[in-house]
Amino acid sequence: MSTRDWTPQEVFTQKHYIQEEDLFSKIRVQAKEKKCDFMMVAPTEARLLQSLVEVSGSKKIVEIGTLFGYTAIYLAQGILGEGKVWTCELSYENAEIARKFISQSQVSDKIDVIQGNAHESLRELEKMGPFDCVFIDADKNGYPDYLEWAEKNVKKGGLVIADNTVLDGAVWNLPDDETNKKRVQNMMIFHKSFSDPKRFRSTIYPSYDGIAVGVKI
């Protein structure tokens, strides 16, 4: 899959509620040219992320999975006053593209792109914590480990958000191939932990591919 179609609800909401800056359109064009636009959140989902940051008053945010900086900019726009988004990206090329777009935004001073293996980057980031919010949107097999890190490094009452948590419906329609079975198994480990009421007050918003949102207990 190289593209994604908007649902009727997304089309309606984007028409009436979302007026994106030209910069975000440029990022989408770049993603389409690179055939990875299906990996990006919808404008409606990005606005949800921004709103969650605003209403929670989050100042220190970690994003796991940068791609081209689209959600990093939205997250930073939700910070009221001073604050920082540390965003982790494995690909050197993607990180450079993200830096280019972020430098054109009004919140470039609030975003640090950290290129490299996220597990290593997160270990280095621990000294900057505790954090107010962690947004997970990277390799799906890594979600259990990313959640474990987030739980340890987000403050009590802080936010943990994760995208693609229903894996295009695969979590209830188990695939036949072993690669996708493994992804589902790891995502279900994530769900078991994230839905534990002793650890998080959480739910999944019925977005395009399921954005899970939880408050650390």
Side-chain angles (χ1 to χ4, degrees):
M1 181 170 61
S2 61
T3 60
R4 61 160 290 186
D5 296 322
W6 308 124
T7 65
Q9 180 174 320
E10 286 174 328
V11 171
F12 176 87
T13 306
Q14 290 175 45
K15 177 180 178 181
H16 294 282
Y17 286 87
I18 311 294
Q19 294 81 40
E20 286 198 310
E21 304 168 21
D22 289 342
L23 176 60
F24 293 117
S25 298
K26 292 178 182 177
I27 297 175
R28 287 200 174 278
V29 169
Q30 177 83 81
K32 191 169 185 178
E33 289 175 353
K34 296 287 186 180
K35 293 183 170 53
C36 60
D37 52 313
F38 70 95
M39 298 171 66
M40 295 179 61
V41 304
T44 52
E45 296 167 323
R47 181 59 57 80
L48 172 63
L49 294 175
Q50 180 182 350
S51 297
L52 288 169
V53 169
E54 286 187 86
V55 299
S56 67
S58 293
K59 301 288 188 183
K60 298 171 66 176
I61 302 168
V62 173
E63 177 183 45
I64 308 171
T66 309
L67 195 58
F68 297 154
Y70 181 85
T71 48
I73 296 172
Y74 263 101
L75 289 166
Q77 287 180 338
I79 297 173
L80 303 176
E82 295 183 358
K84 181 70 70 175
V85 175
W86 292 270
T87 180
C88 304
E89 174 56 45
L90 175 63
S91 164
Y92 176 83
E93 180 183 4
N94 289 354
E96 288 300 296
I97 293 172
R99 290 187 179 107
K100 177 188 73 173
F101 285 123
I102 289 168
S103 70
Q104 299 172 38
S105 75
Q106 299 297 312
V107 290
S108 58
D109 60 324
K110 294 183 178 181
I111 304 173
D112 281 349
V113 178
I114 304 171
Q115 190 271 319
N117 181 286
H119 299 284
E120 298 174 3
S121 300
L122 291 173
R123 282 195 292 271
E124 288 296 314
L125 278 174
E126 288 180 5
K127 60 189 176 185
M128 307 299 294
F131 300 98
D132 303 310
C133 175
V134 172
F135 175 49
I136 304 170
D137 191 14
D139 60 296
K140 309 315 166 191
N141 281 318
Y143 270 43
D145 290 337
Y146 296 142
L147 180 60
E148 181 180 356
W149 184 91
E151 187 175 7
K152 290 178 180 177
N153 291 279
V154 169
K155 69 179 185 181
K156 183 177 180 180
L159 281 175
V160 178
I161 310 168
D163 192 25
N164 306 120
T165 59
V166 300
L167 297 177
D168 198 26
V171 292
W172 53 78
N173 291 314
L174 188 63
D176 294 327
D177 62 289
E178 291 303 318
T179 299
N180 282 315
K181 276 185 180 179
K182 183 65 174 177
R183 292 171 76 236
V184 171
Q185 288 167 356
N186 280 313
M187 189 61 72
M188 292 309 297
I189 293 171
F190 166 90
H191 283 301
K192 182 177 180 180
S193 297
F194 204 47
S195 62
D196 184 345
K198 295 180 181 178
R199 300 165 68 179
F200 298 95
R201 288 191 298 275
S202 57
T203 189
I204 299 179
Y205 286 87
S207 63
Y208 179 78
D209 202 24
I211 290 184
V213 179
V215 175
K216 178 181 171 180
I217 301 299

